[in-house]
């Protein structure tokens, strides 16, 4: 059990539950990425960047996401971050499924009405929050972009919110300049996904229930509470932390 700010965080999920939750969470995350992109009302902050690069290079969006993930992970090296099973799964699952999901949505509704676009965007934000809670609740390692954030938090001492905002403002600005879709749904995602994650975390990620989730630093490596890196053994009891 891990104690944080007076709140007990239990390791109640077994390996099977965590694996299934990770995979379903990543599939759901990829689908909601496609929903927001297909809506045309604005993509997630990082996807504004991915879309801009894809438009400029002509590469499939899934390929751009994987390439960006690899580049971001290279930035982990000076930050002394350690990947987990979830980190690798993040790259593989989202990279492999994003383009098929986009194609599926295109076939189902190639030209959504305004109401349809709004519904896609709002549903995408809500379901993404649920998928995010599921993925984080598996505690099998952060995604490449989350790892960059936690690493910078550990090295700079800045709050998570400030680092996350700085990274996302930067990637949105670059992506928009390259032609990525920036719209009201981008703002809705930035403001709305957090509360959805917090609600969904009651069932999917109880270790994220404290109002302020700390970034733990162990042997110079930053991570979210309960994350398992490659080489660690999932399900082992965690030490008490003040």
């Amino acid at each position: 059990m891990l104690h944080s700010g007076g709140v007990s965080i239990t390791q109640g999920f077994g390996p099977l539950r965590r694996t299934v939750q990770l995979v379903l969470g990543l599939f759901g995350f990829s689908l909601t990425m496609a929903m927001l992109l297909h809506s045309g009302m604005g993509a997630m902050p990082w996807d504004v960047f991915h879309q801009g690069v894809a438009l400029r290079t002509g590469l499939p969006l899934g390929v751009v996401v994987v390439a960006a993930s690899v580049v971001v992970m290279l930035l982990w090296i000076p930050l002394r971050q350690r990947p987990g099973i979830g980190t690798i799964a993040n790259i593989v699952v989202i990279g492999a499924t994003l383009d098929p999901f986009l194609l599926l949505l295109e076939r189902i509704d190639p030209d959504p009405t305004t109401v349809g676009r709004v519904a896609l965007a709002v549903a995408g934000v809500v379901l993404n929050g649920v998928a995010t809670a599921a993925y984080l609740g598996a505690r099998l390692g952060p995604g490449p972009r989350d790892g960059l954030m936690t690493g910078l938090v550990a090295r700079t001492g800045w709050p998570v919110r400030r680092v996350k905002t700085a990274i996302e403002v930067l990637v949105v600005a670059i992506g928009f300049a390259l032609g990525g879709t920036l719209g009201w749904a981008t703002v809705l995602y930035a403001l709305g996904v957090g509360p959805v994650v917090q609600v969904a975390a009651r069932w999917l990620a109880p270790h994220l229930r404290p109002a302020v989730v700390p970034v733990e630093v162990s042997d110079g490596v930053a991570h979210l509470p309960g994350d398992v890196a490659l080489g660690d053994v999932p399900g082992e009891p965690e030490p008490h932390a003040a």
Side-chain angles (χ1 to χ4, degrees):
M1 180 181 295
L2 175 70
H3 292 274
S4 177
V7 179
S8 295
I9 304 172
T10 60
Q11 295 231 138
F13 298 164
L16 178 60
R17 160 72 184 264
R18 294 169 76 175
T19 301
V20 171
Q21 187 167 307
L22 170 69
V23 173
L24 292 179
L26 291 176
F27 270 91
F29 197 98
S30 181
L31 175 59
T32 54
M33 288 171 66
M35 291 170 67
L36 279 161
L37 287 165
H38 190 60
S39 76
M41 296 293 183
M44 298 178 196
W46 271 98
D47 285 340
V48 177
F49 173 77
H50 297 146
Q51 189 180 41
V53 173
L55 289 171
R56 293 293 181 177
T57 61
L59 293 171
L61 194 59
V63 173
V64 173
V65 170
V66 171
S69 297
V70 172
V71 172
V72 168
M73 285 193 68
L74 291 177
L75 299 177
W76 284 29
I77 298 173
L79 298 175
R80 297 179 62 189
Q81 292 295 87
R82 294 171 58 195
I85 298 171
T87 310
I88 307 304
N90 180 294
I91 298 172
V92 173
V93 172
I94 294 178
T97 61
L98 179 56
D99 286 313
F101 277 138
L102 284 169
L103 181 60
L104 176 63
L105 292 174
E106 180 69 24
R107 289 184 175 178
I108 293 174
D109 191 356
D111 187 20
T113 63
T114 300
V115 173
R117 292 179 185 278
V118 171
L120 273 172
V122 174
V125 171
V126 173
L127 294 176
N128 183 269
V130 176
T132 298
Y135 158 62
L136 292 177
R139 293 166 295 164
L140 292 173
R145 294 150 191 81
D146 289 334
L148 174 64
M149 177 191 70
T150 56
L152 287 172
V153 167
R155 295 291 166 258
T156 63
W158 292 354
V160 171
R161 179 172 296 181
R162 183 186 300 179
V163 173
K164 179 178 174 62
T165 299
I167 293 173
E168 292 188 348
V169 167
L170 177 62
V171 297
V172 165
I174 296 173
F176 183 66
L178 293 174
T181 304
L182 172 62
W184 63 265
T186 308
V187 178
L188 177 65
Y189 180 86
L191 298 177
V193 75
V196 177
V197 172
Q198 186 173 5
V199 172
R202 295 179 181 180
W203 300 277
L204 299 172
H207 68 297
L208 295 181
R209 289 291 294 148
V212 178
V213 178
V215 174
E216 298 178 346
V217 181
S218 176
D219 296 327
V221 180
H223 57 87
L224 294 172
D227 275 348
V228 178
L230 291 176
D232 293 340
V233 179
E236 286 187 343
E238 294 179 352
H240 292 290

